[in-house]
Amino acid sequence: MNRERLIFLTNDDSYRSKGFEAAIEVARHFGRVIAIAPEAPQSGMSQAITIYNPLRLRKVRDEEGVTVYALNGTPVDCVKMAFDYLLTNEKVDLAISGINHGSNAAINVLYSGTMGAAIEASFYNIPSIGLSLTDHDPDADFEGAVKYGVEIVGKVLEKGVSLPCCLNVNVPNIPLAEIKGVRISRQTRGFWREEFFLRTDPHGREYFWLTGGFQNAEPAAEESDEWALANGYVAVVPIKVDMTEYRQLEELELLL
């Protein structure tokens, strides 16, 4: 008798987001879904965890094949709560984080709560996939992201991948019919340059509002995820955690 697959699901836009509903649609194709997602949006939280405040877990949805919990913590808190508390007696086949409202390509992977959760899930020796759509609109069209999410998740489950495995999947914000396919890519080199706007509130107190833009250091690099997205492809980047700069090891041995 074949065991029904179990898919764990989380995100960083909260359990109320349209992207989270789209992720549930993806996950339901492959088995039973158990989700823990933040109570409130947690974008930009990366690998942050809650240390100085109590965590509260509550069930917000329970139906055939789908159970959803809300947690007043970060995306990584959600993953830890799942694997170190709620699912300790369960075998999870795959973790999905998303579908995020907005791109997590290039250096965004370092800041992203979506990818922070996906990376954390990979530590538990299961394949994990972060799914993102390059559209911040709360009412974004997730048709393309769902279609390609199902395709990619299906292949990972069917064919298997070496572990640890964490995939950063970004889908361009264009109509489904215009998406050209999937490109296996690398992370684009680039950085954010922020702008801080000084403003005054109605009480005369000064405050800052943060904005900025991404500076692509290699816009013509066809093997990069930003190039893939700009040219109508879904970008898939395998992510690793080891941040050692191996090229400098020998130099530092001589220097220090």
Side-chain angles (χ1 to χ4, degrees):
M1 182 177 178
N2 293 330
R3 180 186 66 85
E4 183 183 23
R5 288 194 184 105
L6 174 58
I7 310 298
F8 172 70
L9 185 61
T10 190
N11 77 342
D12 75 353
D13 290 314
S14 91
Y15 75 95
R16 299 181 179 90
S17 72
K18 185 176 180 180
F20 189 63
E21 284 300 317
I24 291 175
E25 183 179 346
V26 171
R28 291 186 83 153
H29 279 78
F30 304 101
R32 182 165 58 102
V33 179
I34 295 182
I36 303 179
E39 286 271 10
Q42 297 284 320
S43 296
M45 295 303 289
S46 186
Q47 300 290 139
I49 57 175
T50 301
I51 297 176
Y52 298 111
N53 294 301
L55 292 172
R56 293 181 171 86
L57 183 70
R58 66 186 184 96
K59 186 181 292 186
V60 295
R61 179 173 173 182
D62 196 3
E63 61 189 55
E64 183 67 28
V66 177
T67 304
V68 179
Y69 295 84
L71 183 74
N72 65 323
T74 69
V76 169
D77 288 332
C78 292
V79 174
K80 290 180 177 294
M81 181 66 72
F83 289 98
D84 294 329
Y85 173 72
L86 191 67
L87 302 178
T88 54
N89 295 319
E90 299 265 18
K91 181 185 184 303
V92 179
D93 295 278
L94 182 131
I96 298 173
S97 183
I99 298 172
N100 189 64
H101 291 250
S103 173
N104 279 317
I107 200 171
N108 291 325
V109 70
L110 295 179
Y111 304 106
S112 166
T114 297
M115 288 310 300
I119 291 168
E120 188 71 25
S122 74
F123 297 162
Y124 292 86
N125 208 38
I126 62 168
S128 69
I129 300 176
L131 295 174
S132 302
L133 174 68
T134 62
D135 187 348
H136 287 93
D137 189 337
D139 194 35
D141 179 3
F142 283 90
E143 182 184 13
V146 168
K147 191 269 186 185
Y148 280 95
V150 169
E151 178 181 315
I152 292 166
V153 169
K155 289 180 178 178
V156 167
L157 287 171
E158 176 188 353
K159 298 181 179 180
V161 288
S162 59
L163 299 175
C165 172
C166 178
L167 302 182
N168 183 14
V169 178
N170 285 274
V171 179
N173 178 29
I174 56 179
L176 173 59
E178 296 179 16
I179 298 178
K180 299 176 182 177
V182 174
R183 282 180 71 98
I184 307 305
S185 307
R186 65 164 174 82
Q187 180 180 323
T188 304
R189 287 190 292 274
F191 49 85
W192 281 88
R193 281 295 175 260
E194 279 73 25
E195 294 181 78
F196 291 88
F197 288 95
L198 180 61
R199 299 177 179 176
T200 304
D201 69 20
H203 301 284
R205 296 172 300 190
E206 292 183 343
Y207 69 96
F208 291 92
W209 196 260
L210 173 64
T211 185
F214 176 70
Q215 309 296 310
N216 189 338
E218 44 179 4
E222 296 186 11
E223 72 278 13
S224 70
D225 53 4
E226 288 286 350
W227 187 94
L229 291 166
N231 286 274
Y233 292 93
V234 175
V236 178
V237 178
I239 300 298
K240 68 174 184 176
V241 176
D242 185 354
M243 298 180 71
T244 306
E245 177 50 274
Y246 289 95
R247 293 175 299 178
Q248 289 185 338
L249 288 176
E250 184 175 348
E251 175 187 347
L252 290 173
E253 288 286 353
L254 298 172
L255 177 66
L256 302 176

PDB file of all heavy atoms in Angstrom, residues 4-33:
ATOM      1  N   GLU A   4       0.440   8.038   1.341  1.00  0.00           N
ATOM      2  CA  GLU A   4       0.147   9.349   0.763  1.00  0.00           C
ATOM      3  C   GLU A   4       1.262  10.322   1.111  1.00  0.00           C
ATOM      4  O   GLU A   4       1.726  10.376   2.254  1.00  0.00           O
ATOM      5  CB  GLU A   4      -1.188   9.887   1.301  1.00  0.00           C
ATOM      6  CG  GLU A   4      -1.579  11.221   0.687  1.00  0.00           C
ATOM      7  CD  GLU A   4      -2.867  11.779   1.263  1.00  0.00           C
ATOM      8  OE1 GLU A   4      -3.230  11.405   2.404  1.00  0.00           O
ATOM      9  OE2 GLU A   4      -3.503  12.591   0.575  1.00  0.00           O
ATOM     10  N   ARG A   5       1.709  11.071   0.135  1.00  0.00           N
ATOM     11  CA  ARG A   5       2.761  12.052   0.387  1.00  0.00           C
ATOM     12  C   ARG A   5       2.261  13.140   1.328  1.00  0.00           C
ATOM     13  O   ARG A   5       1.089  13.491   1.331  1.00  0.00           O
ATOM     14  CB  ARG A   5       3.209  12.702  -0.915  1.00  0.00           C
ATOM     15  CG  ARG A   5       4.026  11.821  -1.851  1.00  0.00           C
ATOM     16  CD  ARG A   5       4.667  12.699  -2.892  1.00  0.00           C
ATOM     17  NE  ARG A   5       5.396  11.939  -3.900  1.00  0.00           N
ATOM     18  CZ  ARG A   5       4.974  11.720  -5.133  1.00  0.00           C
ATOM     19  NH1 ARG A   5       3.791  12.200  -5.509  1.00  0.00           N
ATOM     20  NH2 ARG A   5       5.703  11.047  -5.990  1.00  0.00           N
ATOM     21  N   LEU A   6       3.208  13.708   2.081  1.00  0.00           N
ATOM     22  CA  LEU A   6       2.922  14.842   2.963  1.00  0.00           C
ATOM     23  C   LEU A   6       3.774  16.017   2.515  1.00  0.00           C
ATOM     24  O   LEU A   6       5.010  15.924   2.455  1.00  0.00           O
ATOM     25  CB  LEU A   6       3.217  14.499   4.420  1.00  0.00           C
ATOM     26  CG  LEU A   6       3.090  15.643   5.428  1.00  0.00           C
ATOM     27  CD1 LEU A   6       1.690  16.246   5.408  1.00  0.00           C
ATOM     28  CD2 LEU A   6       3.447  15.174   6.832  1.00  0.00           C
ATOM     29  N   ILE A   7       3.131  17.126   2.193  1.00  0.00           N
ATOM     30  CA  ILE A   7       3.817  18.345   1.771  1.00  0.00           C
ATOM     31  C   ILE A   7       3.660  19.390   2.869  1.00  0.00           C
ATOM     32  O   ILE A   7       2.540  19.683   3.302  1.00  0.00           O
ATOM     33  CB  ILE A   7       3.220  18.897   0.459  1.00  0.00           C
ATOM     34  CG1 ILE A   7       3.111  17.784  -0.600  1.00  0.00           C
ATOM     35  CG2 ILE A   7       4.045  20.076  -0.039  1.00  0.00           C
ATOM     36  CD1 ILE A   7       4.430  17.164  -1.006  1.00  0.00           C
ATOM     37  N   PHE A   8       4.784  19.944   3.319  1.00  0.00           N
ATOM     38  CA  PHE A   8       4.743  21.054   4.280  1.00  0.00           C
ATOM     39  C   PHE A   8       4.799  22.367   3.521  1.00  0.00           C
ATOM     40  O   PHE A   8       5.527  22.524   2.545  1.00  0.00           O
ATOM     41  CB  PHE A   8       5.901  20.990   5.267  1.00  0.00           C
ATOM     42  CG  PHE A   8       5.987  22.217   6.128  1.00  0.00           C
ATOM     43  CD1 PHE A   8       5.025  22.470   7.094  1.00  0.00           C
ATOM     44  CD2 PHE A   8       7.008  23.148   5.947  1.00  0.00           C
ATOM     45  CE1 PHE A   8       5.074  23.627   7.869  1.00  0.00           C
ATOM     46  CE2 PHE A   8       7.070  24.299   6.723  1.00  0.00           C
ATOM     47  CZ  PHE A   8       6.098  24.531   7.683  1.00  0.00           C
ATOM     48  N   LEU A   9       4.029  23.327   4.010  1.00  0.00           N
ATOM     49  CA  LEU A   9       3.898  24.608   3.318  1.00  0.00           C
ATOM     50  C   LEU A   9       4.034  25.767   4.301  1.00  0.00           C
ATOM     51  O   LEU A   9       3.520  25.711   5.426  1.00  0.00           O
ATOM     52  CB  LEU A   9       2.525  24.662   2.644  1.00  0.00           C
ATOM     53  CG  LEU A   9       2.185  25.860   1.758  1.00  0.00           C
ATOM     54  CD1 LEU A   9       3.139  25.943   0.589  1.00  0.00           C
ATOM     55  CD2 LEU A   9       0.752  25.713   1.246  1.00  0.00           C
ATOM     56  N   THR A  10       4.744  26.807   3.871  1.00  0.00           N
ATOM     57  CA  THR A  10       4.835  28.040   4.644  1.00  0.00           C
ATOM     58  C   THR A  10       5.017  29.204   3.674  1.00  0.00           C
ATOM     59  O   THR A  10       5.024  29.025   2.459  1.00  0.00           O
ATOM     60  CB  THR A  10       5.974  27.982   5.681  1.00  0.00           C
ATOM     61  OG1 THR A  10       5.884  29.108   6.567  1.00  0.00           O
ATOM     62  CG2 THR A  10       7.340  27.971   5.009  1.00  0.00           C
ATOM     63  N   ASN A  11       5.172  30.417   4.198  1.00  0.00           N
ATOM     64  CA  ASN A  11       5.443  31.582   3.351  1.00  0.00           C
ATOM     65  C   ASN A  11       5.905  32.737   4.229  1.00  0.00           C
ATOM     66  O   ASN A  11       6.138  32.561   5.434  1.00  0.00           O
ATOM     67  CB  ASN A  11       4.215  31.962   2.518  1.00  0.00           C
ATOM     68  CG  ASN A  11       3.143  32.705   3.315  1.00  0.00           C
ATOM     69  OD1 ASN A  11       3.120  32.673   4.537  1.00  0.00           O
ATOM     70  ND2 ASN A  11       2.241  33.362   2.609  1.00  0.00           N
ATOM     71  N   ASP A  12       6.016  33.946   3.643  1.00  0.00           N
ATOM     72  CA  ASP A  12       6.349  35.117   4.463  1.00  0.00           C
ATOM     73  C   ASP A  12       5.334  36.243   4.307  1.00  0.00           C
ATOM     74  O   ASP A  12       5.498  37.307   4.892  1.00  0.00           O
ATOM     75  CB  ASP A  12       7.775  35.622   4.174  1.00  0.00           C
ATOM     76  CG  ASP A  12       7.902  36.365   2.850  1.00  0.00           C
ATOM     77  OD1 ASP A  12       6.924  36.395   2.066  1.00  0.00           O
ATOM     78  OD2 ASP A  12       8.989  36.913   2.582  1.00  0.00           O
ATOM     79  N   ASP A  13       4.289  36.025   3.497  1.00  0.00           N
ATOM     80  CA  ASP A  13       3.277  37.055   3.285  1.00  0.00           C
ATOM     81  C   ASP A  13       2.039  36.864   4.155  1.00  0.00           C
ATOM     82  O   ASP A  13       1.054  37.582   3.975  1.00  0.00           O
ATOM     83  CB  ASP A  13       2.845  37.075   1.808  1.00  0.00           C
ATOM     84  CG  ASP A  13       3.945  37.605   0.900  1.00  0.00           C
ATOM     85  OD1 ASP A  13       4.548  38.630   1.242  1.00  0.00           O
ATOM     86  OD2 ASP A  13       4.195  36.987  -0.148  1.00  0.00           O
ATOM     87  N   SER A  14       2.060  35.884   5.028  1.00  0.00           N
ATOM     88  CA  SER A  14       0.990  35.515   5.953  1.00  0.00           C
ATOM     89  C   SER A  14       0.048  34.495   5.324  1.00  0.00           C
ATOM     90  O   SER A  14      -0.036  34.367   4.096  1.00  0.00           O
ATOM     91  CB  SER A  14       0.188  36.721   6.459  1.00  0.00           C
ATOM     92  OG  SER A  14      -0.933  36.988   5.632  1.00  0.00           O
ATOM     93  N   TYR A  15      -0.666  33.806   6.179  1.00  0.00           N
ATOM     94  CA  TYR A  15      -1.573  32.756   5.722  1.00  0.00           C
ATOM     95  C   TYR A  15      -2.772  33.327   4.975  1.00  0.00           C
ATOM     96  O   TYR A  15      -3.515  32.583   4.322  1.00  0.00           O
ATOM     97  CB  TYR A  15      -2.033  31.894   6.904  1.00  0.00           C
ATOM     98  CG  TYR A  15      -3.059  32.555   7.791  1.00  0.00           C
ATOM     99  CD1 TYR A  15      -4.420  32.340   7.598  1.00  0.00           C
ATOM    100  CD2 TYR A  15      -2.669  33.394   8.840  1.00  0.00           C
ATOM    101  CE1 TYR A  15      -5.372  32.950   8.420  1.00  0.00           C
ATOM    102  CE2 TYR A  15      -3.609  34.002   9.649  1.00  0.00           C
ATOM    103  CZ  TYR A  15      -4.956  33.771   9.429  1.00  0.00           C
ATOM    104  OH  TYR A  15      -5.890  34.381  10.240  1.00  0.00           O
ATOM    105  N   ARG A  16      -2.982  34.637   5.026  1.00  0.00           N
ATOM    106  CA  ARG A  16      -4.124  35.262   4.360  1.00  0.00           C
ATOM    107  C   ARG A  16      -3.822  35.663   2.910  1.00  0.00           C
ATOM    108  O   ARG A  16      -4.729  36.086   2.197  1.00  0.00           O
ATOM    109  CB  ARG A  16      -4.570  36.510   5.126  1.00  0.00           C
ATOM    110  CG  ARG A  16      -5.027  36.264   6.551  1.00  0.00           C
ATOM    111  CD  ARG A  16      -5.454  37.577   7.187  1.00  0.00           C
ATOM    112  NE  ARG A  16      -5.936  37.409   8.547  1.00  0.00           N
ATOM    113  CZ  ARG A  16      -5.175  37.476   9.618  1.00  0.00           C
ATOM    114  NH1 ARG A  16      -3.876  37.691   9.480  1.00  0.00           N
ATOM    115  NH2 ARG A  16      -5.683  37.334  10.822  1.00  0.00           N
ATOM    116  N   SER A  17      -2.592  35.565   2.458  1.00  0.00           N
ATOM    117  CA  SER A  17      -2.224  36.111   1.154  1.00  0.00           C
ATOM    118  C   SER A  17      -2.732  35.243   0.010  1.00  0.00           C
ATOM    119  O   SER A  17      -2.910  34.024   0.133  1.00  0.00           O
ATOM    120  CB  SER A  17      -0.701  36.247   1.052  1.00  0.00           C
ATOM    121  OG  SER A  17      -0.095  34.975   0.934  1.00  0.00           O
ATOM    122  N   LYS A  18      -2.937  35.881  -1.136  1.00  0.00           N
ATOM    123  CA  LYS A  18      -3.367  35.170  -2.338  1.00  0.00           C
ATOM    124  C   LYS A  18      -2.293  34.190  -2.798  1.00  0.00           C
ATOM    125  O   LYS A  18      -2.599  33.092  -3.286  1.00  0.00           O
ATOM    126  CB  LYS A  18      -3.692  36.171  -3.443  1.00  0.00           C
ATOM    127  CG  LYS A  18      -4.271  35.532  -4.692  1.00  0.00           C
ATOM    128  CD  LYS A  18      -4.666  36.574  -5.732  1.00  0.00           C
ATOM    129  CE  LYS A  18      -5.250  35.909  -6.986  1.00  0.00           C
ATOM    130  NZ  LYS A  18      -5.647  36.901  -8.013  1.00  0.00           N
ATOM    131  N   GLY A  19      -1.031  34.570  -2.642  1.00  0.00           N
ATOM    132  CA  GLY A  19       0.059  33.677  -3.024  1.00  0.00           C
ATOM    133  C   GLY A  19       0.083  32.402  -2.210  1.00  0.00           C
ATOM    134  O   GLY A  19       0.445  31.329  -2.718  1.00  0.00           O
ATOM    135  N   PHE A  20      -0.309  32.491  -0.950  1.00  0.00           N
ATOM    136  CA  PHE A  20      -0.357  31.299  -0.101  1.00  0.00           C
ATOM    137  C   PHE A  20      -1.446  30.352  -0.586  1.00  0.00           C
ATOM    138  O   PHE A  20      -1.256  29.132  -0.628  1.00  0.00           O
ATOM    139  CB  PHE A  20      -0.594  31.718   1.351  1.00  0.00           C
ATOM    140  CG  PHE A  20      -0.458  30.593   2.339  1.00  0.00           C
ATOM    141  CD1 PHE A  20       0.746  29.936   2.501  1.00  0.00           C
ATOM    142  CD2 PHE A  20      -1.523  30.201   3.125  1.00  0.00           C
ATOM    143  CE1 PHE A  20       0.889  28.900   3.414  1.00  0.00           C
ATOM    144  CE2 PHE A  20      -1.400  29.177   4.039  1.00  0.00           C
ATOM    145  CZ  PHE A  20      -0.195  28.529   4.185  1.00  0.00           C
ATOM    146  N   GLU A  21      -2.585  30.896  -0.978  1.00  0.00           N
ATOM    147  CA  GLU A  21      -3.652  30.064  -1.539  1.00  0.00           C
ATOM    148  C   GLU A  21      -3.174  29.392  -2.819  1.00  0.00           C
ATOM    149  O   GLU A  21      -3.505  28.228  -3.092  1.00  0.00           O
ATOM    150  CB  GLU A  21      -4.901  30.899  -1.816  1.00  0.00           C
ATOM    151  CG  GLU A  21      -5.692  31.252  -0.579  1.00  0.00           C
ATOM    152  CD  GLU A  21      -6.191  30.020   0.174  1.00  0.00           C
ATOM    153  OE1 GLU A  21      -6.667  29.072  -0.490  1.00  0.00           O
ATOM    154  OE2 GLU A  21      -6.088  30.012   1.404  1.00  0.00           O
ATOM    155  N   ALA A  22      -2.388  30.118  -3.627  1.00  0.00           N
ATOM    156  CA  ALA A  22      -1.840  29.535  -4.849  1.00  0.00           C
ATOM    157  C   ALA A  22      -0.867  28.401  -4.518  1.00  0.00           C
ATOM    158  O   ALA A  22      -0.829  27.375  -5.220  1.00  0.00           O
ATOM    159  CB  ALA A  22      -1.153  30.612  -5.677  1.00  0.00           C
ATOM    160  N   ALA A  23      -0.085  28.563  -3.459  1.00  0.00           N
ATOM    161  CA  ALA A  23       0.839  27.512  -3.046  1.00  0.00           C
ATOM    162  C   ALA A  23       0.082  26.274  -2.572  1.00  0.00           C
ATOM    163  O   ALA A  23       0.512  25.135  -2.822  1.00  0.00           O
ATOM    164  CB  ALA A  23       1.761  28.025  -1.948  1.00  0.00           C
ATOM    165  N   ILE A  24      -1.026  26.475  -1.863  1.00  0.00           N
ATOM    166  CA  ILE A  24      -1.859  25.333  -1.458  1.00  0.00           C
ATOM    167  C   ILE A  24      -2.360  24.590  -2.692  1.00  0.00           C
ATOM    168  O   ILE A  24      -2.374  23.349  -2.741  1.00  0.00           O
ATOM    169  CB  ILE A  24      -3.036  25.806  -0.579  1.00  0.00           C
ATOM    170  CG1 ILE A  24      -2.516  26.285   0.781  1.00  0.00           C
ATOM    171  CG2 ILE A  24      -4.064  24.689  -0.388  1.00  0.00           C
ATOM    172  CD1 ILE A  24      -3.583  26.885   1.677  1.00  0.00           C
ATOM    173  N   GLU A  25      -2.746  25.343  -3.728  1.00  0.00           N
ATOM    174  CA  GLU A  25      -3.198  24.726  -4.976  1.00  0.00           C
ATOM    175  C   GLU A  25      -2.092  23.862  -5.580  1.00  0.00           C
ATOM    176  O   GLU A  25      -2.350  22.754  -6.069  1.00  0.00           O
ATOM    177  CB  GLU A  25      -3.629  25.811  -5.963  1.00  0.00           C
ATOM    178  CG  GLU A  25      -4.189  25.278  -7.259  1.00  0.00           C
ATOM    179  CD  GLU A  25      -4.627  26.379  -8.215  1.00  0.00           C
ATOM    180  OE1 GLU A  25      -4.743  27.546  -7.766  1.00  0.00           O
ATOM    181  OE2 GLU A  25      -4.829  26.061  -9.405  1.00  0.00           O
ATOM    182  N   VAL A  26      -0.858  24.358  -5.558  1.00  0.00           N
ATOM    183  CA  VAL A  26       0.273  23.572  -6.060  1.00  0.00           C
ATOM    184  C   VAL A  26       0.455  22.313  -5.221  1.00  0.00           C
ATOM    185  O   VAL A  26       0.541  21.191  -5.755  1.00  0.00           O
ATOM    186  CB  VAL A  26       1.571  24.409  -6.042  1.00  0.00           C
ATOM    187  CG1 VAL A  26       2.784  23.534  -6.354  1.00  0.00           C
ATOM    188  CG2 VAL A  26       1.482  25.561  -7.035  1.00  0.00           C
ATOM    189  N   ALA A  27       0.524  22.478  -3.908  1.00  0.00           N
ATOM    190  CA  ALA A  27       0.835  21.366  -3.018  1.00  0.00           C
ATOM    191  C   ALA A  27      -0.221  20.264  -3.061  1.00  0.00           C
ATOM    192  O   ALA A  27       0.099  19.070  -2.942  1.00  0.00           O
ATOM    193  CB  ALA A  27       1.015  21.884  -1.594  1.00  0.00           C
ATOM    194  N   ARG A  28      -1.487  20.632  -3.233  1.00  0.00           N
ATOM    195  CA  ARG A  28      -2.571  19.646  -3.206  1.00  0.00           C
ATOM    196  C   ARG A  28      -2.483  18.645  -4.354  1.00  0.00           C
ATOM    197  O   ARG A  28      -3.077  17.567  -4.284  1.00  0.00           O
ATOM    198  CB  ARG A  28      -3.922  20.346  -3.237  1.00  0.00           C
ATOM    199  CG  ARG A  28      -4.248  21.114  -1.987  1.00  0.00           C
ATOM    200  CD  ARG A  28      -5.659  21.667  -1.999  1.00  0.00           C
ATOM    201  NE  ARG A  28      -6.628  20.652  -1.566  1.00  0.00           N
ATOM    202  CZ  ARG A  28      -7.790  20.941  -0.993  1.00  0.00           C
ATOM    203  NH1 ARG A  28      -8.141  22.197  -0.794  1.00  0.00           N
ATOM    204  NH2 ARG A  28      -8.600  19.994  -0.627  1.00  0.00           N
ATOM    205  N   HIS A  29      -1.744  18.987  -5.386  1.00  0.00           N
ATOM    206  CA  HIS A  29      -1.565  18.045  -6.492  1.00  0.00           C
ATOM    207  C   HIS A  29      -0.781  16.810  -6.058  1.00  0.00           C
ATOM    208  O   HIS A  29      -0.844  15.772  -6.731  1.00  0.00           O
ATOM    209  CB  HIS A  29      -0.809  18.710  -7.648  1.00  0.00           C
ATOM    210  CG  HIS A  29      -1.650  19.567  -8.527  1.00  0.00           C
ATOM    211  ND1 HIS A  29      -2.049  20.842  -8.174  1.00  0.00           N
ATOM    212  CD2 HIS A  29      -2.190  19.336  -9.751  1.00  0.00           C
ATOM    213  CE1 HIS A  29      -2.778  21.362  -9.139  1.00  0.00           C
ATOM    214  NE2 HIS A  29      -2.882  20.484 -10.111  1.00  0.00           N
ATOM    215  N   PHE A  30      -0.049  16.910  -4.955  1.00  0.00           N
ATOM    216  CA  PHE A  30       0.931  15.884  -4.635  1.00  0.00           C
ATOM    217  C   PHE A  30       0.685  15.142  -3.324  1.00  0.00           C
ATOM    218  O   PHE A  30       1.420  14.219  -3.000  1.00  0.00           O
ATOM    219  CB  PHE A  30       2.338  16.506  -4.625  1.00  0.00           C
ATOM    220  CG  PHE A  30       2.660  17.171  -5.915  1.00  0.00           C
ATOM    221  CD1 PHE A  30       2.565  18.549  -6.053  1.00  0.00           C
ATOM    222  CD2 PHE A  30       3.001  16.430  -7.026  1.00  0.00           C
ATOM    223  CE1 PHE A  30       2.846  19.169  -7.265  1.00  0.00           C
ATOM    224  CE2 PHE A  30       3.276  17.041  -8.244  1.00  0.00           C
ATOM    225  CZ  PHE A  30       3.193  18.410  -8.368  1.00  0.00           C
ATOM    226  N   GLY A  31      -0.332  15.527  -2.577  1.00  0.00           N
ATOM    227  CA  GLY A  31      -0.606  14.795  -1.347  1.00  0.00           C
ATOM    228  C   GLY A  31      -1.260  15.660  -0.289  1.00  0.00           C
ATOM    229  O   GLY A  31      -1.809  16.732  -0.576  1.00  0.00           O
ATOM    230  N   ARG A  32      -1.192  15.174   0.926  1.00  0.00           N
ATOM    231  CA  ARG A  32      -1.758  15.900   2.061  1.00  0.00           C
ATOM    232  C   ARG A  32      -0.901  17.108   2.383  1.00  0.00           C
ATOM    233  O   ARG A  32       0.329  17.054   2.303  1.00  0.00           O
ATOM    234  CB  ARG A  32      -1.817  14.945   3.259  1.00  0.00           C
ATOM    235  CG  ARG A  32      -2.436  15.523   4.522  1.00  0.00           C
ATOM    236  CD  ARG A  32      -2.780  14.402   5.505  1.00  0.00           C
ATOM    237  NE  ARG A  32      -1.616  13.619   5.869  1.00  0.00           N
ATOM    238  CZ  ARG A  32      -0.951  13.750   7.016  1.00  0.00           C
ATOM    239  NH1 ARG A  32      -1.331  14.659   7.913  1.00  0.00           N
ATOM    240  NH2 ARG A  32       0.076  12.981   7.284  1.00  0.00           N
ATOM    241  N   VAL A  33      -1.537  18.203   2.745  1.00  0.00           N
ATOM    242  CA  VAL A  33      -0.839  19.470   2.993  1.00  0.00           C
ATOM    243  C   VAL A  33      -1.011  19.875   4.448  1.00  0.00           C
ATOM    244  O   VAL A  33      -2.143  19.948   4.955  1.00  0.00           O
ATOM    245  CB  VAL A  33      -1.381  20.591   2.082  1.00  0.00           C
ATOM    246  CG1 VAL A  33      -0.653  21.911   2.369  1.00  0.00           C
ATOM    247  CG2 VAL A  33      -1.268  20.205   0.620  1.00  0.00           C
TER     248      VAL A  33
END
